[in-house]
Amino acid sequence: MRAPTQPFIDGDFRGTSGGRIALVDPATEQNWCEVASAGEADVDRAVRAARAAFEDGPWASMAAADRGRLIERLAQLVEEHADELAELESVDNGKPVTYAKVVDVPSSVGHLRYFAGWPTKIEGEVIPVAAPETLCYTRKEPVGVCGQIVPWNFPLLMACWKVAPALAAGCTTVLKPAEQTPPTATRRGELALEAGIPEGVLNVVTGDGETGAALVDHPDVNKIAFTGSTVVGREIGAKAGAALKRVTLELGGKSPNIILPDADLDAAVKGSWTAIYFNSGQACNAGSRLFVPKENFDDVVAALAERAAGAKVGPGLDQATQVGPLVSAEQLERVTGYIESGRSEGAELVTGGDAPDGDGYFVSPTLFATTSDDLRISREEIFGPVLVAMPYETLDEVAERANDTDYGLAAGVWTRSLSSAHQLAARLRAGTIYINQWGMADASAPFGGYKASGVGREHGHAGLDAYLEVKTVWASLG
């Protein structure tokens, strides 16, 4: 397992003007690698390489079909290196390697393959304007150089979410992975070059928040795409707005998961467990608020507690692990702080709330029960394996309570009634609604949030359009 340790700029690994960052295995708390931290000069070099590739290199004049073939070749190489990439994901952020092999890597490949088909289908249109003897048409053109900043919870997958549509549109990019999890980003930079994608088209700058800020502030970056916390997203959105840069933001969530009285309770319990404890709760669309009919509340909570208590908590490289460690000591402190807050504010701790003995940033799957929507654990994004279950009595009540949040990324409904399912799907203020399932995603299906959960959409046609400008051309035929 090899982890490239330098920024990947203009087709090569380069030394940096910054320092070094130690990468910590969250299962052991031991340093396993060091990577360079790119400074402002390195970011500038990467942006200049991306600009040159966009305006003057072979990428600028490449036929759309050829661009699609190179993206497809990158997908093939990611697939061929699946085991290597899955192990890197497991070591750097702690996720079970079995999940990385069946979710992260295949989904990354699927995303690249989907967008590999788009370059030949980016079309303008002829507009039948009122003016006589006039031809009016539109062209869809790449927005330019993109700065793309991705989080630590799904490093490879989130990078593919960003890079694939940018390349399909004909853009060039500077990718900035999270400081905790850069190895798969730099490795994929190598694979892109091996696939035949020209130098300078895909650059990777490793580093901390200062590196990301330098990328956002760079005057020659045309678009910023960011996935991460709402706090940081607000800052980036403000900067992009001041500079009038294009921006898409996929931010946090406090997603409601609603079990209706007629639901298949066994399926709902199983799905609700996955909704919150998958990836140790470190998912922006985690189903962290569970609403249960009052008459079913005790049974559902007991079943979830039994399943949570029996989950295998352990290192990501252990094939039997179901719940891995949190990504860092900082994240452990954050999550355990919310658990203490839940206790002190009077919520009932049904199960979990502790850390297994030994090294590693582990937290047992935790379940609270409460009747209050006002507790911090009921309102704030925890980003850990902590579920808050709350009873309700009527459909109108639960719809109102589910929407009473600053966020709007996802929501779920468990029911046998098509009428109830689609009524709630219309009423819930969220970008994605799951009915009798949780967490489904596809490269063709738009993903993004309402309210403080973000701006714009990723995936599908909407995700591609975020990397295109529309130009209108008027020509006199007289």
Side-chain angles (χ1 to χ4, degrees):
M1 183 171 59
R2 183 174 67 84
T5 61
Q6 302 286 343
F8 186 77
I9 298 173
D10 205 15
D12 196 9
F13 290 104
R14 306 293 181 93
T16 66
S17 59
R20 307 287 292 179
I21 297 175
L23 302 187
V24 178
D25 181 344
T28 64
E29 302 182 41
Q30 300 299 309
N31 293 358
W32 71 280
C33 181
E34 283 192 351
V35 297
S37 181
E40 189 172 336
D42 305 303
V43 172
D44 180 64
R45 192 162 70 245
V47 172
R48 283 190 285 110
R51 176 59 62 189
F54 179 73
E55 294 187 349
D56 303 319
W59 194 249
S61 57
M62 186 176 293
D66 292 335
R67 194 163 70 242
R69 278 191 283 270
L70 294 183
I71 300 171
E72 169 61 29
R73 177 58 182 149
L74 177 57
Q76 292 173 358
L77 289 172
V78 170
E79 191 170 46
E80 289 171 11
H81 291 81
D83 288 347
E84 171 196 354
L85 294 168
E87 288 181 11
L88 283 173
E89 293 291 73
S90 182
V91 171
D92 67 9
N93 90 339
K95 69 173 58 199
V97 69
T98 50
Y99 295 172
K101 288 180 178 180
V102 300
V103 177
D104 296 57
V105 177
S107 296
S108 298
V109 172
H111 218 80
L112 290 165
R113 286 212 164 110
Y114 171 81
F115 280 102
W118 264 112
T120 55
K121 300 165 189 67
I122 298 172
E123 301 169 338
E125 58 187 352
V126 176
I127 302 170
V129 295
E133 297 186 316
T134 298
L135 171 65
C136 182
Y137 65 93
T138 60
R139 292 171 49 90
K140 289 188 177 180
E141 300 180 348
V143 71
V145 175
C146 303
Q148 301 180 306
I149 303 173
V150 296
W152 44 255
N153 56 338
F154 293 91
L156 178 67
L157 181 56
M158 294 294 103
C160 288
W161 282 20
K162 298 284 187 290
V163 169
L167 297 183
C171 298
T172 58
T173 183
V174 179
L175 176 71
K176 193 276 176 188
E179 63 188 273
Q180 300 90 343
T181 55
T184 53
T186 50
R187 184 72 180 99
R188 200 189 56 173
E190 281 187 304
L191 295 178
L193 195 65
E194 183 179 341
I197 293 174
E199 296 176 1
V201 172
L202 172 55
N203 308 275
V204 182
V205 290
T206 54
D208 57 15
E210 292 184 4
T211 307
L215 183 58
V216 171
D217 293 338
H218 199 289
D220 207 23
V221 170
N222 302 111
K223 173 186 168 60
I224 297 294
F226 171 78
T227 295
S229 73
T230 296
V231 171
V232 176
R234 290 185 193 277
E235 296 177 7
I236 290 174
K239 288 184 174 184
L244 297 179
K245 293 182 180 181
R246 304 296 182 262
V247 64
T248 50
L249 304 170
E250 196 263 283
L251 307 177
K254 192 68 177 176
S255 298
N257 189 16
I258 303 168
I259 299 176
L260 294 186
D262 68 337
D264 178 338
L265 293 184
D266 289 339
V269 166
K270 182 179 180 181
S272 299
W273 191 94
T274 300
I276 182 60
Y277 299 122
F278 174 73
N279 210 47
S280 300
Q282 298 171 126
C284 53
N285 63 340
S288 53
R289 291 188 295 152
L290 181 65
F291 292 96
V292 185
K294 187 175 181 180
E295 62 269 26
N296 303 120
F297 188 76
D298 290 344
D299 290 341
V300 169
V301 168
L304 276 167
E306 180 180 3
R307 183 178 284 268
K312 174 69 166 66
V313 178
L317 291 177
D318 184 340
Q319 299 283 335
T321 292
Q322 294 174 283
V323 179
L326 300 177
V327 73
S328 64
E330 179 184 9
Q331 190 65 12
L332 177 65
E333 182 179 1
R334 172 188 173 89
V335 172
T336 54
Y338 273 107
I339 291 171
E340 288 306 311
S341 172
R343 285 175 167 140
S344 65
E345 289 188 318
E348 177 191 355
L349 179 60
V350 181
T351 190
D354 57 355
D357 294 334
D359 296 330
Y361 307 130
F362 295 97
V363 172
S364 298
T366 299
L367 172 61
F368 282 101
T370 182
T371 58
S372 174
D373 296 326
D374 298 323
L375 307 185
R376 288 184 64 213
I377 59 171
S378 304
R379 301 202 66 80
E380 299 178 16
E381 184 178 40
I382 299 172
F383 223 67
V386 181
L387 176 61
V388 181
M390 294 170 283
Y392 73 90
E393 295 188 21
T394 70
L395 191 68
D396 287 340
E397 172 203 344
V398 76
E400 181 178 349
R401 291 171 64 190
N403 286 331
D404 183 19
T405 174
D406 293 335
Y407 299 104
L409 189 58
V413 181
W414 298 86
T415 179
R416 290 185 173 94
S417 168
L418 285 175
S419 175
S420 297
H422 293 294
Q423 283 184 52
L424 274 176
R427 294 176 66 175
L428 294 171
R429 300 287 294 166
T432 297
I433 308 297
Y434 306 113
I435 298 175
N436 294 327
Q437 57 181 288
W438 191 279
M440 294 297 293
D442 191 276
S444 63
F447 182 80
Y450 288 22
K451 299 185 281 187
S453 288
V455 175
R457 293 293 182 270
E458 296 188 295
H459 306 180
H461 205 316
L464 179 73
D465 284 345
Y467 291 91
L468 293 169
E469 295 279 17
V470 178
K471 177 184 289 182
T472 304
V473 180
W474 293 80
S476 173
L477 303 180

mmCIF file of all heavy atoms in Angstrom, residues 149 162 216 223-230 232-238 240 246-252 409 447-458:
data_model
loop_
_atom_site.group_PDB
_atom_site.id
_atom_site.type_symbol
_atom_site.label_atom_id
_atom_site.label_comp_id
_atom_site.label_asym_id
_atom_site.label_seq_id
_atom_site.Cartn_x
_atom_site.Cartn_y
_atom_site.Cartn_z
ATOM 1 N N ILE A 149 -12.975 21.285 -3.269
ATOM 2 C CA ILE A 149 -12.554 20.959 -1.904
ATOM 3 C C ILE A 149 -13.468 19.871 -1.363
ATOM 4 O O ILE A 149 -14.693 20.038 -1.332
ATOM 5 C CB ILE A 149 -12.607 22.212 -1.011
ATOM 6 C CG1 ILE A 149 -11.727 23.321 -1.606
ATOM 7 C CG2 ILE A 149 -12.152 21.883 0.407
ATOM 8 C CD1 ILE A 149 -11.850 24.656 -0.885
ATOM 9 N N LYS A 162 -16.853 15.419 -7.701
ATOM 10 C CA LYS A 162 -16.462 16.752 -8.159
ATOM 11 C C LYS A 162 -15.757 16.703 -9.509
ATOM 12 O O LYS A 162 -16.073 17.460 -10.436
ATOM 13 C CB LYS A 162 -15.527 17.384 -7.127
ATOM 14 C CG LYS A 162 -16.120 17.599 -5.742
ATOM 15 C CD LYS A 162 -17.049 18.780 -5.710
ATOM 16 C CE LYS A 162 -17.499 19.101 -4.295
ATOM 17 N NZ LYS A 162 -18.406 18.104 -3.714
ATOM 18 N N VAL A 216 -9.609 29.053 -2.660
ATOM 19 C CA VAL A 216 -10.853 29.823 -2.790
ATOM 20 C C VAL A 216 -10.562 31.264 -3.170
ATOM 21 O O VAL A 216 -11.261 31.870 -3.998
ATOM 22 C CB VAL A 216 -11.645 29.767 -1.468
ATOM 23 C CG1 VAL A 216 -12.827 30.739 -1.505
ATOM 24 C CG2 VAL A 216 -12.140 28.350 -1.211
ATOM 25 N N LYS A 223 -14.532 28.769 -10.565
ATOM 26 C CA LYS A 223 -15.634 28.130 -9.838
ATOM 27 C C LYS A 223 -15.086 27.385 -8.629
ATOM 28 O O LYS A 223 -14.013 26.764 -8.691
ATOM 29 C CB LYS A 223 -16.369 27.135 -10.739
ATOM 30 C CG LYS A 223 -17.435 26.314 -9.998
ATOM 31 C CD LYS A 223 -18.044 25.230 -10.871
ATOM 32 C CE LYS A 223 -18.869 24.253 -10.035
ATOM 33 N NZ LYS A 223 -19.972 24.880 -9.316
ATOM 34 N N ILE A 224 -15.845 27.437 -7.544
ATOM 35 C CA ILE A 224 -15.522 26.685 -6.337
ATOM 36 C C ILE A 224 -16.626 25.650 -6.106
ATOM 37 O O ILE A 224 -17.818 25.973 -6.167
ATOM 38 C CB ILE A 224 -15.413 27.603 -5.106
ATOM 39 C CG1 ILE A 224 -14.271 28.603 -5.282
ATOM 40 C CG2 ILE A 224 -15.221 26.789 -3.836
ATOM 41 C CD1 ILE A 224 -12.895 27.982 -5.318
ATOM 42 N N ALA A 225 -16.218 24.421 -5.839
ATOM 43 C CA ALA A 225 -17.157 23.367 -5.418
ATOM 44 C C ALA A 225 -16.658 22.837 -4.079
ATOM 45 O O ALA A 225 -15.494 22.438 -3.958
ATOM 46 C CB ALA A 225 -17.219 22.252 -6.450
ATOM 47 N N PHE A 226 -17.527 22.818 -3.089
ATOM 48 C CA PHE A 226 -17.125 22.454 -1.727
ATOM 49 C C PHE A 226 -18.131 21.502 -1.122
ATOM 50 O O PHE A 226 -19.350 21.706 -1.229
ATOM 51 C CB PHE A 226 -17.034 23.719 -0.861
ATOM 52 C CG PHE A 226 -16.840 23.455 0.616
ATOM 53 C CD1 PHE A 226 -15.599 23.103 1.121
ATOM 54 C CD2 PHE A 226 -17.907 23.555 1.505
ATOM 55 C CE1 PHE A 226 -15.420 22.857 2.474
ATOM 56 C CE2 PHE A 226 -17.743 23.317 2.854
ATOM 57 C CZ PHE A 226 -16.496 22.962 3.349
ATOM 58 N N THR A 227 -17.627 20.463 -0.471
ATOM 59 C CA THR A 227 -18.447 19.610 0.384
ATOM 60 C C THR A 227 -17.829 19.631 1.769
ATOM 61 O O THR A 227 -16.622 19.383 1.924
ATOM 62 C CB THR A 227 -18.510 18.168 -0.138
ATOM 63 O OG1 THR A 227 -19.186 18.147 -1.391
ATOM 64 C CG2 THR A 227 -19.271 17.272 0.842
ATOM 65 N N GLY A 228 -18.653 19.920 2.775
ATOM 66 C CA GLY A 228 -18.147 19.990 4.147
ATOM 67 C C GLY A 228 -19.164 20.619 5.073
ATOM 68 O O GLY A 228 -20.372 20.589 4.819
ATOM 69 N N SER A 229 -18.685 21.211 6.131
ATOM 70 C CA SER A 229 -19.564 21.751 7.165
ATOM 71 C C SER A 229 -20.274 23.015 6.689
ATOM 72 O O SER A 229 -19.764 23.759 5.835
ATOM 73 C CB SER A 229 -18.769 22.057 8.434
ATOM 74 O OG SER A 229 -17.970 23.214 8.252
ATOM 75 N N THR A 230 -21.431 23.266 7.275
ATOM 76 C CA THR A 230 -22.174 24.476 6.940
ATOM 77 C C THR A 230 -21.412 25.723 7.370
ATOM 78 O O THR A 230 -21.450 26.755 6.680
ATOM 79 C CB THR A 230 -23.566 24.424 7.585
ATOM 80 O OG1 THR A 230 -24.297 23.333 7.014
ATOM 81 C CG2 THR A 230 -24.341 25.706 7.347
ATOM 82 N N VAL A 232 -18.112 26.289 7.438
ATOM 83 C CA VAL A 232 -17.103 26.612 6.425
ATOM 84 C C VAL A 232 -17.776 26.957 5.098
ATOM 85 O O VAL A 232 -17.324 27.851 4.370
ATOM 86 C CB VAL A 232 -16.116 25.445 6.257
ATOM 87 C CG1 VAL A 232 -15.125 25.739 5.136
ATOM 88 C CG2 VAL A 232 -15.373 25.189 7.563
ATOM 89 N N GLY A 233 -18.860 26.271 4.772
ATOM 90 C CA GLY A 233 -19.580 26.565 3.541
ATOM 91 C C GLY A 233 -20.080 27.996 3.477
ATOM 92 O O GLY A 233 -20.055 28.625 2.410
ATOM 93 N N ARG A 234 -20.538 28.531 4.604
ATOM 94 C CA ARG A 234 -20.977 29.937 4.639
ATOM 95 C C ARG A 234 -19.804 30.870 4.318
ATOM 96 O O ARG A 234 -19.955 31.859 3.583
ATOM 97 C CB ARG A 234 -21.552 30.278 6.001
ATOM 98 C CG ARG A 234 -22.891 29.627 6.321
ATOM 99 C CD ARG A 234 -23.415 30.136 7.658
ATOM 100 N NE ARG A 234 -24.509 29.344 8.162
ATOM 101 C CZ ARG A 234 -25.791 29.484 7.805
ATOM 102 N NH1 ARG A 234 -26.117 30.393 6.909
ATOM 103 N NH2 ARG A 234 -26.727 28.704 8.330
ATOM 104 N N GLU A 235 -18.640 30.576 4.872
ATOM 105 C CA GLU A 235 -17.467 31.409 4.613
ATOM 106 C C GLU A 235 -17.078 31.369 3.140
ATOM 107 O O GLU A 235 -16.794 32.406 2.522
ATOM 108 C CB GLU A 235 -16.296 30.939 5.477
ATOM 109 C CG GLU A 235 -16.508 31.091 6.977
ATOM 110 C CD GLU A 235 -15.344 30.538 7.775
ATOM 111 O OE1 GLU A 235 -14.320 30.162 7.151
ATOM 112 O OE2 GLU A 235 -15.436 30.477 9.010
ATOM 113 N N ILE A 236 -17.070 30.159 2.573
ATOM 114 C CA ILE A 236 -16.711 30.019 1.163
ATOM 115 C C ILE A 236 -17.756 30.695 0.276
ATOM 116 O O ILE A 236 -17.422 31.383 -0.702
ATOM 117 C CB ILE A 236 -16.556 28.532 0.799
ATOM 118 C CG1 ILE A 236 -15.301 27.974 1.488
ATOM 119 C CG2 ILE A 236 -16.485 28.332 -0.713
ATOM 120 C CD1 ILE A 236 -15.118 26.486 1.311
ATOM 121 N N GLY A 237 -19.033 30.515 0.615
ATOM 122 C CA GLY A 237 -20.089 31.149 -0.157
ATOM 123 C C GLY A 237 -19.977 32.663 -0.144
ATOM 124 O O GLY A 237 -20.193 33.327 -1.173
ATOM 125 N N ALA A 238 -19.615 33.231 1.012
ATOM 126 C CA ALA A 238 -19.458 34.683 1.109
ATOM 127 C C ALA A 238 -18.303 35.168 0.248
ATOM 128 O O ALA A 238 -18.400 36.184 -0.453
ATOM 129 C CB ALA A 238 -19.240 35.085 2.574
ATOM 130 N N ALA A 240 -16.995 33.593 -2.409
ATOM 131 C CA ALA A 240 -17.345 33.405 -3.817
ATOM 132 C C ALA A 240 -18.323 34.481 -4.275
ATOM 133 O O ALA A 240 -18.229 34.981 -5.399
ATOM 134 C CB ALA A 240 -17.937 32.015 -4.028
ATOM 135 N N ARG A 246 -18.547 31.336 -9.628
ATOM 136 C CA ARG A 246 -19.552 30.290 -9.580
ATOM 137 C C ARG A 246 -19.263 29.416 -8.355
ATOM 138 O O ARG A 246 -18.105 29.164 -8.022
ATOM 139 C CB ARG A 246 -19.521 29.449 -10.846
ATOM 140 C CG ARG A 246 -19.680 30.260 -12.126
ATOM 141 C CD ARG A 246 -21.060 30.933 -12.193
ATOM 142 N NE ARG A 246 -21.225 31.659 -13.445
ATOM 143 C CZ ARG A 246 -21.047 32.963 -13.579
ATOM 144 N NH1 ARG A 246 -20.651 33.687 -12.538
ATOM 145 N NH2 ARG A 246 -21.243 33.557 -14.741
ATOM 146 N N VAL A 247 -20.309 28.897 -7.730
ATOM 147 C CA VAL A 247 -20.092 28.101 -6.516
ATOM 148 C C VAL A 247 -21.198 27.069 -6.362
ATOM 149 O O VAL A 247 -22.371 27.334 -6.656
ATOM 150 C CB VAL A 247 -20.026 29.013 -5.262
ATOM 151 C CG1 VAL A 247 -21.353 29.728 -5.015
ATOM 152 C CG2 VAL A 247 -19.611 28.228 -4.031
ATOM 153 N N THR A 248 -20.824 25.865 -5.937
ATOM 154 C CA THR A 248 -21.778 24.871 -5.452
ATOM 155 C C THR A 248 -21.292 24.410 -4.087
ATOM 156 O O THR A 248 -20.093 24.224 -3.859
ATOM 157 C CB THR A 248 -21.904 23.664 -6.398
ATOM 158 O OG1 THR A 248 -20.602 23.163 -6.724
ATOM 159 C CG2 THR A 248 -22.610 24.032 -7.682
ATOM 160 N N LEU A 249 -22.246 24.218 -3.183
ATOM 161 C CA LEU A 249 -21.948 23.863 -1.802
ATOM 162 C C LEU A 249 -22.833 22.701 -1.380
ATOM 163 O O LEU A 249 -24.062 22.788 -1.476
ATOM 164 C CB LEU A 249 -22.216 25.058 -0.868
ATOM 165 C CG LEU A 249 -21.494 26.369 -1.186
ATOM 166 C CD1 LEU A 249 -22.051 27.506 -0.329
ATOM 167 C CD2 LEU A 249 -19.995 26.223 -0.966
ATOM 168 N N GLU A 250 -22.219 21.614 -0.942
ATOM 169 C CA GLU A 250 -22.967 20.486 -0.368
ATOM 170 C C GLU A 250 -22.560 20.409 1.087
ATOM 171 O O GLU A 250 -21.418 20.071 1.406
ATOM 172 C CB GLU A 250 -22.637 19.195 -1.131
ATOM 173 C CG GLU A 250 -23.635 18.081 -0.863
ATOM 174 C CD GLU A 250 -23.159 17.126 0.205
ATOM 175 O OE1 GLU A 250 -22.297 16.284 -0.078
ATOM 176 O OE2 GLU A 250 -23.666 17.239 1.348
ATOM 177 N N LEU A 251 -23.506 20.744 1.972
ATOM 178 C CA LEU A 251 -23.165 21.018 3.364
ATOM 179 C C LEU A 251 -23.819 20.024 4.320
ATOM 180 O O LEU A 251 -24.087 18.890 3.965
ATOM 181 C CB LEU A 251 -23.546 22.466 3.688
ATOM 182 C CG LEU A 251 -22.965 23.507 2.710
ATOM 183 C CD1 LEU A 251 -23.451 24.903 3.046
ATOM 184 C CD2 LEU A 251 -21.454 23.450 2.688
ATOM 185 N N GLY A 252 -24.046 20.444 5.549
ATOM 186 C CA GLY A 252 -24.454 19.529 6.609
ATOM 187 C C GLY A 252 -25.931 19.183 6.586
ATOM 188 O O GLY A 252 -26.706 19.637 5.739
ATOM 189 N N LEU A 409 -31.137 18.436 3.865
ATOM 190 C CA LEU A 409 -30.403 17.613 2.901
ATOM 191 C C LEU A 409 -31.181 16.364 2.516
ATOM 192 O O LEU A 409 -31.304 16.032 1.340
ATOM 193 C CB LEU A 409 -29.034 17.228 3.466
ATOM 194 C CG LEU A 409 -28.079 16.557 2.479
ATOM 195 C CD1 LEU A 409 -27.821 17.440 1.266
ATOM 196 C CD2 LEU A 409 -26.765 16.188 3.157
ATOM 197 N N PHE A 447 -28.265 15.399 -6.361
ATOM 198 C CA PHE A 447 -28.098 15.336 -4.908
ATOM 199 C C PHE A 447 -27.666 16.704 -4.413
ATOM 200 O O PHE A 447 -26.727 17.304 -4.942
ATOM 201 C CB PHE A 447 -27.046 14.295 -4.533
ATOM 202 C CG PHE A 447 -26.853 14.138 -3.046
ATOM 203 C CD1 PHE A 447 -27.735 13.372 -2.291
ATOM 204 C CD2 PHE A 447 -25.804 14.763 -2.396
ATOM 205 C CE1 PHE A 447 -27.569 13.224 -0.928
ATOM 206 C CE2 PHE A 447 -25.618 14.628 -1.026
ATOM 207 C CZ PHE A 447 -26.509 13.855 -0.296
ATOM 208 N N GLY A 448 -28.356 17.188 -3.388
ATOM 209 C CA GLY A 448 -28.030 18.477 -2.788
ATOM 210 C C GLY A 448 -29.115 18.854 -1.806
ATOM 211 O O GLY A 448 -30.058 18.091 -1.581
ATOM 212 N N GLY A 449 -28.982 20.025 -1.194
ATOM 213 C CA GLY A 449 -29.858 20.339 -0.081
ATOM 214 C C GLY A 449 -30.637 21.627 -0.205
ATOM 215 O O GLY A 449 -30.317 22.515 -0.989
ATOM 216 N N TYR A 450 -31.692 21.708 0.612
ATOM 217 C CA TYR A 450 -32.429 22.938 0.842
ATOM 218 C C TYR A 450 -31.756 23.687 2.002
ATOM 219 O O TYR A 450 -30.936 23.152 2.729
ATOM 220 C CB TYR A 450 -33.872 22.641 1.254
ATOM 221 C CG TYR A 450 -34.808 22.121 0.181
ATOM 222 C CD1 TYR A 450 -34.351 21.494 -0.960
ATOM 223 C CD2 TYR A 450 -36.180 22.252 0.340
ATOM 224 C CE1 TYR A 450 -35.223 21.011 -1.918
ATOM 225 C CE2 TYR A 450 -37.071 21.771 -0.607
ATOM 226 C CZ TYR A 450 -36.588 21.156 -1.742
ATOM 227 O OH TYR A 450 -37.461 20.678 -2.679
ATOM 228 N N LYS A 451 -32.138 24.937 2.146
ATOM 229 C CA LYS A 451 -31.774 25.753 3.310
ATOM 230 C C LYS A 451 -30.265 25.709 3.572
ATOM 231 O O LYS A 451 -29.465 25.872 2.640
ATOM 232 C CB LYS A 451 -32.598 25.310 4.532
ATOM 233 C CG LYS A 451 -34.108 25.478 4.297
ATOM 234 C CD LYS A 451 -34.929 25.171 5.534
ATOM 235 C CE LYS A 451 -35.108 23.711 5.772
ATOM 236 N NZ LYS A 451 -36.049 23.414 6.874
ATOM 237 N N ALA A 452 -29.859 25.471 4.819
ATOM 238 C CA ALA A 452 -28.436 25.516 5.170
ATOM 239 C C ALA A 452 -27.680 24.265 4.764
ATOM 240 O O ALA A 452 -26.512 24.106 5.136
ATOM 241 C CB ALA A 452 -28.284 25.756 6.677
ATOM 242 N N SER A 453 -28.314 23.377 4.017
ATOM 243 C CA SER A 453 -27.630 22.173 3.552
ATOM 244 C C SER A 453 -26.957 22.360 2.200
ATOM 245 O O SER A 453 -26.395 21.401 1.665
ATOM 246 C CB SER A 453 -28.611 20.997 3.483
ATOM 247 O OG SER A 453 -28.934 20.560 4.787
ATOM 248 N N GLY A 454 -26.993 23.570 1.657
ATOM 249 C CA GLY A 454 -26.186 23.778 0.474
ATOM 250 C C GLY A 454 -26.810 24.632 -0.609
ATOM 251 O O GLY A 454 -27.940 25.121 -0.488
ATOM 252 N N VAL A 455 -26.039 24.793 -1.687
ATOM 253 C CA VAL A 455 -26.425 25.574 -2.855
ATOM 254 C C VAL A 455 -26.083 24.766 -4.091
ATOM 255 O O VAL A 455 -24.938 24.327 -4.262
ATOM 256 C CB VAL A 455 -25.676 26.920 -2.903
ATOM 257 C CG1 VAL A 455 -26.002 27.677 -4.185
ATOM 258 C CG2 VAL A 455 -26.005 27.770 -1.675
ATOM 259 N N GLY A 456 -27.065 24.535 -4.949
ATOM 260 C CA GLY A 456 -26.820 23.796 -6.180
ATOM 261 C C GLY A 456 -26.970 22.296 -5.989
ATOM 262 O O GLY A 456 -27.315 21.808 -4.915
ATOM 263 N N ARG A 457 -26.700 21.566 -7.053
ATOM 264 C CA ARG A 457 -26.839 20.118 -7.052
ATOM 265 C C ARG A 457 -25.614 19.466 -7.690
ATOM 266 O O ARG A 457 -24.967 20.031 -8.559
ATOM 267 C CB ARG A 457 -28.096 19.677 -7.828
ATOM 268 C CG ARG A 457 -29.418 20.086 -7.166
ATOM 269 C CD ARG A 457 -29.625 19.355 -5.852
ATOM 270 N NE ARG A 457 -30.893 19.691 -5.218
ATOM 271 C CZ ARG A 457 -31.068 20.697 -4.356
ATOM 272 N NH1 ARG A 457 -30.036 21.478 -4.063
ATOM 273 N NH2 ARG A 457 -32.237 20.909 -3.801
ATOM 274 N N GLU A 458 -25.320 18.250 -7.227
ATOM 275 C CA GLU A 458 -24.325 17.407 -7.856
ATOM 276 C C GLU A 458 -25.045 16.220 -8.482
ATOM 277 O O GLU A 458 -26.195 15.949 -8.179
ATOM 278 C CB GLU A 458 -23.297 16.943 -6.827
ATOM 279 C CG GLU A 458 -22.504 18.120 -6.249
ATOM 280 C CD GLU A 458 -21.362 17.696 -5.368
ATOM 281 O OE1 GLU A 458 -21.623 17.104 -4.306
ATOM 282 O OE2 GLU A 458 -20.200 17.971 -5.739
#
